[in-house]
């Protein structure tokens, strides 16, 4: 990746900066929701630590059109799911779906 950035800085640097901005915005918006904790990230995705079982969270998000990956089987990622940072519209859909899932049925999924 570093070689690509050095080779094509005019193309890649603005995209990387935009991704970082979108990731931090998504993390900030998700941090305001109860029931999940977005973990710090330097990647193009966020890990969300869930109060509820991750498989249930992923299923509920999928029912609302959002793909999330249950990564709770990996070491040190118990109760975590992964969501990719996307476009502004995709990130808004993630936040809306998470809010709906957290608020549905009085907080129970």
């Amino acid at each position: 990746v570093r070689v690509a950035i050095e080779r094509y800085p005019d193309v890649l640097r603005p995209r990387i900066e935009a991704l970082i901005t979108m990731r931090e915005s998504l993390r900030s918006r998700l941090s305001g929701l109860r029931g999940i904790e977005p973990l710090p990230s330097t990647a193009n995705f966020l890990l969300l630590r869930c109060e509820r079982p991750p498989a249930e969270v992923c299923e509920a998000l999928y029912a609302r059109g959002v793909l999330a990956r249950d990564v709770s089987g990996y070491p040190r990622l118990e109760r975590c799911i992964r969501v990719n940072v996307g476009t502004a519209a995709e990130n808004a859909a993630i936040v809306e779906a998470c809010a709906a899932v957290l608020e549905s049925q009085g907080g129970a999924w």
Side-chain angles (χ1 to χ4, degrees):
V1 171
R2 190 170 297 162
V3 172
I5 294 170
E6 291 171 0
R7 196 166 180 189
Y8 306 103
D10 295 342
V11 174
L12 296 178
R13 189 146 324 270
R15 291 181 184 182
I16 292 168
E17 290 171 1
L19 173 66
I20 291 168
T21 298
M22 290 187 297
R23 181 190 65 219
E24 293 310 311
S25 173
L26 178 60
R27 184 171 178 265
S28 175
R29 293 171 67 193
L30 290 171
S31 68
L33 301 177
R34 290 187 307 151
I36 57 171
E37 174 192 3
L39 302 177
S41 177
T42 58
N44 65 338
F45 61 87
L46 290 175
L47 294 174
L48 308 176
R49 181 162 289 128
C50 305
E51 289 180 4
R52 303 283 183 185
E56 291 179 18
V57 176
C58 287
E59 186 177 322
L61 291 174
Y62 182 73
R64 289 167 176 77
V66 171
L67 292 176
R69 182 175 178 192
D70 180 353
V71 294
S72 62
Y74 291 98
R76 300 178 59 195
L77 296 181
E78 297 83 11
R79 305 196 75 77
C80 287
I81 64 171
R82 171 186 163 154
V83 293
N84 287 350
V85 177
T87 65
E90 291 166 338
N91 293 343
I94 292 169
V95 173
E96 290 171 19
C98 285
V101 166
L102 294 168
E103 294 171 2
S104 69
Q105 301 173 12
W109 295 317

